[in-house]
Each structure stands twice: as structure tokens, then as C-alpha cells.
Amino acid sequence: MLKVTGTLVWYYFICKRQVWLMAHEINPFQDDPFLEIGRFLHAESYAREKKEVEIDGMKFDIIKNKDGKLIVAEIKKSSRFLESATMQLCFYLYRLQKMGINAVGEILVPQEKKKYSVILNQEIILKIEDAIREIKEIMHYPKPPEKRKIHFCTHCAYAEFCFA
Ligand code: SF4
């Protein structure tokens, strides 16, 4: 049974074809420099504060308790894909809420010295539930959705696969 993950939610808000490719474990080229930068930033930034925690398959970069409030933080390399990053974090907050854990989110962008607050509300919950439903549908398509040239393609590790 294919499982909806936070990573798939991130891709869903960028490119639905990528959701299918990821879900079917068609791995992108591992020497893609964009991925390398991401890995480096992930490893180096916030190294002292970083407390990676895994709950029920969800991996959080940082979990902290501030003034009695649980904060779940994700580290991103850029705020260019903020909608995707926000919805990915909302997906985690939604799943935590289903487990009886109320938390708020933060997106940290060390390279830009930026921090964005993420709070779950009813409108976002409906958007997440729609996304989960459609991701499940996409995953069960017999073949990937058609490629569609978008701005993200130039940064996408599947670019060669799609457009070579
Ligand atoms: S290269 Fe473009 S169309 Fe292909 S998976 Fe990446 S974002 Fe989607």
C-alpha cells in the first residue's frame, strides 16, 4: 500500500508528475548539485539546535517546547517554494493533531535568515485533505501524469528523465 508522505505533499504542490515518480521509487540522479546543496544545508545549518525526531514515519528537523507550546520546525534551503514547504509542514501538523498532539510550525531558511510561522486552520485542513485524496489517486495511475515544463524543471532532479 503506497503511503502519503510529507515529501509527496511537497512535490504535489510543485509537480504532480513528480509525485508519481517519487511514489514509484524512480529515484532522481543522486549527483544533482541542487540535491547536494540541500543535503549540505540540512547537515550544517542549525547544527546545535537540531534535534531530528521521528514520529510515526514523520521526520522533523527540530522539535522544541516554547512557553508550553510545541513547535515543529523544518529547515529549507530557500523560500522560493514556500507554498510547498508550508503545506508539507501543515500535513505534519495535521497528522499530529489526529494523534492528539497540537503543535505549531516554523519554516527556517538559514541562507536567507528567515523564519515563517505555520498555523493549522480549518481552511488549510480542507486543502490538506484534498491533497491527500488526490495524491492517492495519482499514485495509483498506471503511468505518470504528462510532463509539463514549469519553472521548477530547471532545478528538478528528474529534468533529464523528463526532457532529455
Ligand atoms: S522535470 Fe519538470 S515535469 Fe519533470 S518531474 Fe521535474 S518538475 Fe515535473
Side-chain angles (χ1 to χ4, degrees):
M1 172 84 176
L2 296 166
K3 201 169 174 221
V4 177
T5 62
T7 308
L8 289 181
V9 171
W10 193 93
Y11 285 119
Y12 172 82
F13 286 95
I14 298 280
C15 170
K16 292 173 184 177
R17 178 176 170 86
Q18 205 160 349
V19 170
W20 191 95
L21 294 169
M22 291 295 294
H24 289 80
E25 296 179 348
I26 297 169
N27 290 320
F29 301 99
Q30 294 301 314
D31 57 354
D32 186 290
F34 192 65
L35 291 180
E36 273 310 313
I37 294 167
R39 271 199 286 269
F40 172 78
L41 275 173
H42 200 267
E44 297 298 318
S45 304
Y46 297 94
R48 273 184 302 156
E49 196 183 357
K50 200 162 153 56
K51 291 174 190 156
E52 197 168 79
V53 176
E54 186 168 345
I55 303 174
D56 196 27
M58 297 180 280
K59 275 190 192 149
F60 304 112
D61 291 332
I62 298 168
I63 287 194
K64 55 190 177 184
N65 200 319
K66 197 174 173 196
D67 305 328
K69 205 190 284 178
L70 186 68
I71 300 174
V72 173
E74 285 285 292
I75 300 167
K76 297 293 176 192
K77 55 184 167 290
S78 150
S79 53
R80 278 180 59 218
F81 305 106
L82 194 59
E83 190 204 4
S84 284
T86 302
M87 294 314 291
Q88 181 186 20
L89 191 46
C90 286
F91 170 73
Y92 293 144
L93 297 178
Y94 169 81
R95 285 198 52 204
L96 287 174
Q97 195 182 68
K98 290 248 170 217
M99 293 160 70
I101 302 168
N102 287 318
V104 295
E106 280 178 1
I107 295 170
L108 307 169
V109 189
Q111 266 198 331
E112 300 170 8
K113 296 189 173 27
K114 283 191 181 151
K115 178 164 91 177
Y116 300 91
S117 296
V118 177
I119 294 168
L120 209 55
N121 60 33
Q122 199 50 37
E123 191 186 333
I124 293 175
I125 288 174
L126 292 177
K127 202 168 164 181
I128 286 288
E129 288 175 343
D130 280 348
I132 293 171
R133 215 173 0 257
E134 200 184 343
I135 289 170
K136 284 182 181 162
E137 284 172 21
I138 293 169
M139 289 193 302
H140 289 95
Y141 288 170
K143 59 186 182 125
E146 279 306 305
K147 59 198 173 205
R148 194 169 53 89
K149 192 91 177 161
I150 55 171
H151 182 64
F152 182 77
C153 294
T154 47
H155 299 293
C156 180
Y158 289 111
E160 219 169 301
F161 178 82
C162 290
F163 297 105

